[in-house]
């Protein structure tokens, strides 16, 4: 189904695919000997798949991309903020200002635009804004933001203030609708440790409800108009939103003595019913021990692309547990394609652009590029 076509050396775990063939925020790791000690330098580049450098960046915070524009989070020294795909400067920041950009993810139903969360720092302090690709402020935020937890669902921005609370804004009117606090979920036990329940990530949006996964493996349904929690389901460790079948699918590894039990949990969003399937035998046949799933897991058509850990193959003491990449068909609930890593281990979530998949082999510091087979 897919074949590896390229390995790009000295890459970092943080990267973005601007479009097929153009990669953003590759950090070239360069080691030099200084005063009898090894020093590691990071050179950030916007590059093509063929490793032709479009743009060099020495800024502290790596790029995010919207359409043909690349946003560079700038420190106090650097003036460069926005470039085009040719590496030409479009916007410069003012002296004494600093920016950090974060892509807003989620389902933007009927809305073609993409937005960024901007942390703006100047002599007056810090503030967060939602901006468009022309750096116009779409929404001013008068509260702190838990970095990385901002999502857009149709006409709504959902923004975490802390890991225990989130806020909804109505996009057309810029109105703050409600705050939802999840502190009442208390604590839970994980590997004999007592931890506080926090927001893990936003899973999806359907029929005027937002679905949020908590760290205690609880999936909650929140009414978009009131912020009230209307339903909740347990045993949902890692989830994806299967739009075509109007369900949320989660996978969980359970231990029973020496046996490993893989279970699939599905929640029907129309009936609110939860169904559990034991898929241990099927996963054992595929040498799958556990799936790596979170909000960044891409779903293209009927396929969910994710990293898996192998079950039977021994641990490589140079790299750790064996891993692979797979395409899981949400229509058939079967794996249509697997790729086993012979050396190293995948350390990030795959990114899909066009007919290509990009994923980092963290042990080797290589970005691997797969291309869909033509036959």
């Amino acid at each position: 189904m897919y074949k590896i076509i390229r390995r790009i050396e000295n890459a970092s775990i943080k990267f973005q695919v601007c479009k097929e063939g153009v990669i953003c925020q590759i950090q070239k790791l360069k080691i030099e000997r200084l005063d009898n000690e090894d020093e590691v330098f990071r050179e950030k580049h916007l590059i093509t798949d063929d490793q032709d450098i479009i743009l060099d960046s020495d800024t502290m915070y790596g790029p995010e991309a919207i359409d043909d524009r690349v946003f560079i989070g700038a420190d106090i020294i650097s003036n460069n903020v926005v470039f085009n795909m040719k590496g030409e400067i479009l916007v410069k920041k003012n002296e004494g200002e600093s920016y950090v950009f974060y892509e807003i993810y989620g389902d933007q139903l009927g809305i073609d635009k993409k937005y960024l969360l901007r942390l703006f720092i100047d002599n007056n302090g810090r503030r967060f804004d939602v901006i468009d690709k022309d750096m116009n402020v779409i929404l001013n935020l008068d509260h702190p933001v838990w970095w990385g937890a901002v999502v857009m669902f149709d006409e709504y921005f959902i923004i975490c203030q802390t890991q225990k609370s989130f806020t909804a804004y109505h996009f057309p009117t810029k109105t703050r609708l409600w705050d939802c606090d999840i502190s009442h979920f208390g604590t839970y036990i994980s590997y004999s440790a007592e931890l506080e329940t926090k927001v893990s990530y936003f899973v999806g949006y359907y029929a005027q409800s937002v679905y949020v996964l908590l760290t205690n493996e609880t999936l909650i349904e929140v009414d978009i108009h009131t912020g009230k929690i209307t339903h909740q389901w347990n045993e949902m460790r890692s989830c994806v939103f299967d739009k075509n079948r109007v369900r949320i699918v989660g996978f969980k590894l359970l231990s029973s003595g020496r046996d490993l039990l893989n279970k699939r949990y599905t929640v029907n969003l129309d009936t609110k019913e939860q169904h559990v399937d034991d898929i241990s035998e099927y996963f054992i046949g595929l040498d799958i021990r556990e799936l790596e799933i979170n909000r960044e897991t891409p779903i293209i058509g009927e396929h969910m692309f994710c990293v898996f850990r192998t079950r039977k193959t021994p641990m490589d003491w140079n790299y750790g547990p064996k891993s692979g990449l797979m395409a899981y068909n949400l229509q058939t609930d079967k794996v249509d394609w697997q790729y086993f890593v012979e050396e190293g281990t995948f350390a990030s979530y795959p990114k899909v652009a066009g007919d290509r998949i990009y994923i980092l082999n963290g042990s080797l510091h290589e970005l691997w590029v797969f291309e869909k087979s033509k036959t």
Side-chain angles (χ1 to χ4, degrees):
M1 189 174 180
Y2 286 84
K3 62 180 180 180
I4 188 167
I5 61 170
R6 192 163 292 110
R7 296 184 183 185
I8 299 173
E9 297 179 347
N10 302 322
S12 75
I13 193 169
K14 178 66 175 173
F15 70 93
Q16 185 187 87
V17 179
C18 304
K19 60 181 181 179
E20 184 176 7
V22 180
I23 307 164
C24 203
Q25 200 172 341
I26 290 296
Q27 291 185 340
K28 292 288 188 177
L29 302 180
K30 181 176 63 176
I31 301 178
E32 291 185 0
R33 193 80 172 173
L34 298 177
D35 298 328
N36 296 322
E37 293 185 2
D38 288 337
E39 294 285 341
V40 178
F41 300 89
R42 287 176 168 83
E43 299 175 343
K44 300 179 183 178
H45 301 306
L46 175 67
I47 67 175
T48 67
D49 283 2
D50 296 324
Q51 302 190 60
D52 296 325
I53 297 176
I54 299 174
L55 167 68
D56 287 319
S57 170
D58 60 355
T59 56
M60 184 179 301
Y61 304 104
E64 299 290 345
I66 301 181
D67 299 331
D68 61 341
R69 299 195 174 192
V70 179
F71 292 75
I72 306 291
D75 55 26
I76 298 298
I77 298 175
S78 175
N79 284 322
N80 301 332
V81 176
V82 185
F83 298 81
N84 61 22
M85 290 296 179
K86 297 179 180 179
E88 299 167 338
I89 299 172
L90 300 178
V91 178
K92 283 190 174 184
K93 75 174 183 65
N94 297 320
E95 292 294 336
E97 297 176 346
S98 181
Y99 297 91
V100 180
F101 298 107
Y102 186 85
E103 182 184 15
I104 295 175
Y105 63 92
D107 297 328
Q108 302 174 35
L109 306 178
I111 299 175
D112 294 330
K113 292 183 178 180
K114 295 181 181 179
Y115 300 95
L116 292 174
L117 175 67
R118 177 181 68 177
L119 169 58
F120 180 81
I121 306 171
D122 60 12
N123 294 330
N124 296 320
R126 300 155 55 98
R127 69 174 183 267
F128 290 94
D129 302 307
V130 175
I131 64 170
D132 63 15
K133 75 171 186 177
D134 296 314
M135 293 190 71
N136 298 317
V137 176
I138 303 300
L139 183 65
N140 290 117
L141 303 176
D142 59 357
H143 56 73
V145 175
W146 176 41
W147 197 249
V150 181
V151 65
M152 185 177 181
F153 290 134
D154 202 1
E155 296 184 340
Y156 304 94
F157 285 115
I158 313 295
I159 299 170
C160 267
Q161 296 188 51
T162 68
Q163 287 183 279
K164 294 184 180 181
S165 66
F166 50 95
T167 301
Y169 290 87
H170 185 235
F171 171 74
T173 62
K174 312 299 187 290
T175 304
R176 184 171 177 172
L177 298 178
W178 45 258
D179 297 332
C180 180
D181 187 277
I182 56 99
S183 298
H184 62 279
F185 281 93
T187 61
Y188 65 101
I189 302 298
S190 176
Y191 300 104
S192 301
E194 185 175 4
L195 304 175
E196 291 184 288
T197 300
K198 300 176 181 179
V199 172
S200 183
Y201 59 92
F202 300 107
V203 179
Y205 173 74
Y206 173 71
Q208 305 299 298
S209 292
V210 177
Y211 295 89
V212 187
L213 182 66
L214 307 183
T215 55
N216 66 350
E217 301 182 6
T218 300
L219 176 70
I220 59 174
E221 178 188 77
V222 180
D223 186 282
I224 194 62
H225 300 293
T226 66
K228 302 296 184 183
I229 298 173
T230 51
H231 286 87
Q232 67 182 65
W233 301 268
N234 299 323
E235 306 295 334
M236 301 292 287
R237 176 177 292 182
S238 54
C239 307
V240 294
F241 179 30
D242 181 3
K243 301 178 190 177
N244 293 336
R245 276 150 292 280
V246 195
R247 63 176 186 167
I248 291 177
V249 184
F251 298 86
K252 185 175 180 181
L253 176 71
L254 301 173
S255 296
S256 176
R258 295 184 177 182
D259 296 327
L260 295 174
L261 305 178
N262 284 284
K263 292 191 176 182
R264 180 178 58 235
Y265 294 80
T266 57
V267 173
N268 184 312
L269 299 185
D270 286 325
T271 65
K272 313 302 180 185
E273 295 178 342
Q274 184 183 42
H275 186 72
V276 183
D277 294 295
D278 187 342
I279 55 174
S280 303
E281 184 175 349
Y282 179 62
F283 270 21
I284 288 172
L286 296 173
D287 197 8
I288 293 175
R289 181 180 186 273
E290 191 169 11
L291 305 183
E292 301 279 332
I293 299 174
N294 78 348
R295 64 170 179 80
E296 297 183 31
T297 300
I299 296 177
I300 308 299
E302 293 291 352
H303 288 102
M304 172 185 74
F305 295 89
C306 65
V307 171
F308 64 86
R309 305 297 168 191
T310 62
R311 182 179 188 274
K312 294 182 293 185
T313 51
M315 176 181 288
D316 186 326
W317 294 108
N318 291 319
Y319 305 113
K322 292 290 188 179
S323 68
L325 179 64
M326 75 178 201
Y328 184 90
N329 192 316
L330 291 166
Q331 181 177 20
T332 63
D333 280 320
K334 300 295 183 182
V335 176
D336 287 344
W337 171 76
Q338 285 180 283
Y339 180 90
F340 288 88
V341 179
E342 297 297 331
E343 183 181 14
T345 184
F346 287 141
S348 69
Y349 295 92
K351 301 181 188 300
V352 180
D355 288 333
R356 295 183 179 179
I357 303 174
Y358 301 78
I359 189 167
L360 186 82
N361 188 319
S363 303
L364 303 182
H365 300 292
E366 292 180 348
L367 182 66
W368 290 15
V369 184
F370 292 81
E371 188 172 65
K372 192 172 185 178
S373 302
K374 302 303 181 183
T375 56

